[in-house]
Amino acid sequence: MNQIKKTNSVSGKTDNRMMSGTDIIAQMLIRSGVSVVFAYPGAVTMPLHQTLTRYRDKIRVILPRHEQGGGFAAQGYARATGKLGVCMATSGPGATNLITSIADAKLDSIPLLAITGQVNTGTIGSDGFQETPMTEVCRSITKHHCLITDVKDIVRVMKEAIYIATTGRPGPVLIDLPKDVLVSQCYPDFDAEMNLPGYCAEAPDPDPKTLSQIAECIGEAARPVLLIGGGVITADASEEIRSFAEKTGFPVAKTLPALAAFPTDHPLSLGMIGMHGTVYANRAVYHSDLLLACGVRFSDRITGKVSEFAKSAKVIHIDIDPAEINKVKKANIPLIADLKKVFQKINGLLENKVKKDLNPWYQSIEEWKKEFPLAYDHHSPYILPEAAIEELWKKAKDRNVIIATGVGQHQMWTAQFYHFSKPRTWISSCGLGTMGFGLPAAMGVKVACPDRIVVDVDGDGSFQMNIQEMATCCTEKIPVKVMLMNNQHLGMVMQWEDRFHGANRGNTYLGFIDDPEAQGNGDGITPKVRYPDYPGIARSYGWKSRSVSKKEELSDAICEMLDADGPFLLEVNVPYGEHVLPMTPPGGSVENIITK
């Protein structure tokens, strides 16, 4: 491909003042519209932090209590707004602590800029103190990465990094900066052009012939399903998707990242598809004759056994990234394009078209919904996690709430029983499935959306992995809420132990094992003694807190959490034997779904 030289909105006159690398970085962030950075300092990046103190009126620097927390907070900021999230760390262990959050952003296509410090250029390759070759380490988990060795390159490289992170299919970009480059000086040229050979940010316009083919298939289908993924959120195409579904009458199945892209309560919604998706969503796809897949990557958690997935359907796959086409599921009609543009044009083509009679298809789906509803035991004497999530939704649905989660059973129950209706109100680690994501991500969301209530639904296993960010929330006055589902176990792993390993426990109990009473109170369900004391820990961090174990206390406790002025932790004690159902075993198909 031809070499590309472009400029973007980052512009300005060549500065006639000599500036340090750190001042140039600060100026580039400001010129790019960045107003928040999550950064943990160290010896290498200290000059950058010192410089940023002079720009406090333009850039808020938030100190996380762990670099991973900063990376996830930057992701939360990006996921809630669609804007660039920025995190920074020093060299060596500070930089490597960002790796998980970078990998997480790559799999979920999140625009993230990670800036890391590096040892002096003359020391690189000598195994110097706190030296890590970050560009090599992160080569396969970034969309782009660069080690800057000349202060004069900072403007151009930062333009390129921000442009790449935020265009096309978004993703994380790493910039590694040696200390001597940070403190070196030059006359910066803020009009420097980008130099990106081979990078094409804009998807081609939808091919009219392909659109006509798609429209023809839409008119012929008797058992269609519209399958939407996270790309719908990224493309800001939720309204176009909803309009299309209502024009055509297509039932809509959603992947985990797309839960908020189409209203859960809409009559055409099939809910979530995949391993813990609804039986009726999975059956509809299995029996469909047309699968219109939009912004999905056909993850194994969605398809199960690929050869059985939509085996009788004509597959139309629309995605902005050519790499996703035919990667997992062969497409009969592929289209590489921006989803928003595609559905604007398709909706225009469908104007005044008569809908095909899909009533027989709707009847089949309704029968599956009646036979296999999402349900739980409403008569249980305990607070079941499904009931807690449902009650949270009832109390939060009219309050403009954004939900973040950790990873595990609580994440899946939230996906099933919280009824999302608006884009960017569901913030979760989907592709990488990273425990410890929930609290710091919620922190970043709240910084981005200070007028919204932000609730992290978490599990005791996931929550403890970044529990230190409670301190950040208190000192930085970030009043997030945490509804902690405490079952004293690594719940999802425990569920797999129960289902596939004869209930043999292999290091999944999280209580204090030296307490003989901790693993039960005689009913085989509920631990008698619960450790750690999460409400006590919360109070020690300056949070308000409450713990509930009785069903009749739950509603009032959730209202107290939502109404609290500052950060608040609500511990909900739930049975440890509850399983997330339905469940399709790994590599299984519709025929293997476990429902009880």
Side-chain angles (χ1 to χ4, degrees):
M1 298 180 68
N2 294 329
Q3 181 167 299
I4 298 175
K5 289 190 176 183
K6 292 186 177 180
T7 58
N8 62 3
S9 59
V10 181
S11 63
K13 298 295 184 182
T14 300
D15 202 300
N16 59 8
R17 295 180 296 112
M18 184 78 80
M19 296 179 69
S20 69
T22 59
D23 272 299
I24 296 170
I25 291 167
Q27 283 289 329
M28 287 302 298
L29 291 173
I30 292 167
R31 290 163 183 254
S32 301
V34 174
S35 58
V36 178
V37 173
F38 299 89
Y40 203 104
V44 169
T45 56
M46 190 184 302
L48 182 51
H49 281 261
Q50 289 295 306
T51 295
L52 288 171
T53 63
R54 301 199 302 273
Y55 295 91
R56 283 174 175 154
D57 60 329
K58 291 183 173 65
I59 297 180
R60 179 184 182 185
V61 179
I62 294 176
L63 171 66
R65 295 310 188 261
H66 191 283
E67 291 89 351
Q68 186 183 105
F72 288 147
Q75 270 204 58
Y77 185 97
R79 288 172 187 254
T81 62
K83 299 178 182 178
L84 181 73
V86 182
C87 57
M88 297 195 316
T90 192
S91 65
T96 58
N97 280 343
L98 286 179
I99 288 175
T100 301
S101 56
I102 292 171
D104 192 281
K106 179 66 160 57
L107 278 179
D108 282 356
S109 303
I110 306 302
L112 180 74
L113 176 62
I115 299 173
T116 54
Q118 185 55 273
V119 298
N120 289 331
T121 53
T123 307
I124 293 174
S126 68
D127 293 333
F129 178 66
Q130 290 194 335
E131 178 188 358
T132 302
M134 282 300 291
T135 54
E136 296 302 313
V137 171
C138 293
R139 184 174 297 277
S140 62
I141 59 169
T142 52
K143 188 179 177 185
H144 181 60
H145 48 269
C146 185
L147 169 66
I148 299 179
T149 57
D150 188 334
V151 66
K152 295 176 183 177
D153 292 332
I154 290 178
V155 170
R156 174 182 58 80
V157 171
M158 285 200 67
K159 280 187 181 182
E160 293 169 354
I162 293 167
Y163 184 66
I164 291 172
T166 56
T167 56
R169 179 181 182 176
V173 175
L174 170 79
I175 295 179
D176 203 28
L177 285 154
K179 186 171 184 178
D180 55 328
V181 173
L182 288 171
V183 298
S184 294
Q185 295 189 331
C186 72
Y187 293 100
D189 177 10
F190 289 108
D191 286 326
E193 290 187 331
M194 296 187 292
N195 185 12
L196 297 172
Y199 181 69
C200 184
E202 297 180 5
D205 286 334
D207 175 51
K209 290 183 179 180
T210 305
L211 291 177
S212 295
Q213 281 183 288
I214 293 172
E216 187 175 339
C217 292
I218 289 168
E220 295 174 349
R223 300 186 308 279
V225 172
L226 174 60
L227 174 60
I228 60 173
V232 173
I233 299 288
T234 303
D236 189 27
S238 295
E239 284 301 316
E240 288 76 12
I241 289 289
R242 179 170 180 167
S243 177
F244 171 84
E246 291 173 350
K247 283 176 183 291
T248 60
F250 274 33
V252 182
K254 301 179 285 186
T255 67
L256 185 63
L259 288 182
F262 189 82
T264 302
D265 290 335
H266 195 285
L268 291 169
S269 176
L270 296 171
M272 183 173 68
I273 191 176
M275 179 173 282
H276 292 293
T278 64
V279 173
Y280 38 93
N282 284 292
R283 283 199 174 184
V285 169
Y286 179 79
H287 291 286
S288 65
D289 64 355
L290 177 66
L291 182 67
L292 179 52
C294 306
V296 302
R297 55 189 182 86
F298 293 114
S299 160
D300 61 296
R301 283 298 190 265
I302 299 303
T303 63
K305 188 176 182 180
V306 178
S307 62
E308 294 295 307
F309 182 80
K311 62 187 298 183
S312 302
K314 179 177 287 187
V315 177
I316 300 171
H317 189 183
I318 306 171
D319 205 286
I320 199 169
D321 187 357
E324 292 301 333
I325 304 297
N326 294 326
K327 185 177 79 174
V328 176
K329 184 71 178 176
K330 183 173 175 57
N332 299 98
I333 302 177
L335 179 58
I336 300 166
D338 177 83
L339 283 171
K340 193 178 187 74
K341 291 180 180 178
V342 168
F343 279 91
Q344 285 173 343
K345 291 184 178 295
I346 288 180
N347 288 340
L349 290 174
L350 296 174
E351 289 293 346
N352 302 318
K353 291 284 181 75
V354 178
K355 291 183 183 179
K356 187 179 181 67
D357 181 14
L358 298 179
N359 283 326
W361 183 225
Y362 296 153
Q363 289 171 9
S364 296
I365 292 171
E366 283 304 312
E367 288 173 6
W368 296 330
K369 285 185 175 182
K370 289 177 182 177
E371 186 178 1
F372 300 105
L374 287 176
Y376 58 91
D377 180 8
H378 289 262
H379 302 292
S380 171
Y382 308 103
I383 301 176
L384 295 186
E386 302 96 321
I389 298 297
E390 194 167 63
E391 188 64 24
L392 173 63
W393 167 69
K394 290 177 181 178
K395 294 294 181 288
K397 62 182 179 179
D398 296 324
R399 296 184 186 228
N400 208 18
V401 173
I402 300 176
I403 299 293
T405 74
V407 168
Q409 286 182 311
H410 64 277
Q411 177 192 30
M412 294 297 103
W413 280 314
T414 306
Q416 291 177 339
F417 290 93
Y418 196 99
H419 298 190
F420 295 94
S421 60
K422 296 178 182 178
R424 301 194 183 279
T425 56
W426 160 250
I427 312 294
S428 196
S429 170
C430 301
L432 197 64
T434 309
M435 294 176 67
F437 176 88
L439 175 59
M443 188 170 72
V445 173
K446 185 63 178 176
V447 171
C449 308
D451 296 330
R452 306 283 290 274
I453 297 174
V454 181
V455 179
D456 167 35
V457 178
D458 227 322
D460 51 317
S462 189
F463 182 64
Q464 289 186 88
M465 288 196 173
N466 273 313
I467 196 171
Q468 75 285 337
E469 300 309 327
M470 296 184 85
T472 309
C473 291
C474 186
T475 58
E476 293 283 347
K477 295 180 172 54
I478 307 172
V480 303
K481 322 297 181 186
V482 173
M483 189 167 89
L484 182 64
M485 315 287 278
N486 187 1
N487 68 356
Q488 295 277 286
H489 288 76
L490 296 173
M492 190 60 84
V493 185
M494 178 197 68
Q495 176 170 331
W496 283 46
E497 287 175 336
D498 289 347
R499 294 289 175 175
F500 310 122
H501 299 280
N504 182 45
R505 295 286 174 258
N507 310 109
T508 51
Y509 175 60
L510 295 174
F512 289 7
I513 59 175
D514 60 342
D515 188 329
E517 295 185 315
Q519 293 205 54
N521 66 355
D523 62 8
I525 297 176
T526 310
K528 183 175 182 180
V529 182
R530 293 181 179 273
Y531 298 112
D533 176 12
Y534 292 108
I537 292 171
R539 288 191 292 272
S540 74
Y541 275 116
W543 288 45
K544 295 178 181 178
S545 63
R546 181 172 173 180
S547 180
V548 294
S549 299
K550 297 178 180 179
K551 292 173 68 173
E552 58 269 23
E553 298 174 340
L554 180 63
S555 180
D556 177 70
I558 290 175
C559 288
E560 182 181 354
M561 174 186 71
L562 295 174
D563 291 336
D565 292 333
F568 191 102
L569 179 136
L570 173 60
E571 178 188 47
V572 181
N573 295 304
V574 298
Y576 69 83
E578 194 75 355
H579 288 187
V580 181
L581 297 174
M583 178 183 185
T584 305
S589 68
V590 170
E591 296 176 348
N592 310 119
I593 294 179
I594 301 168
T595 58
K596 59 182 178 180

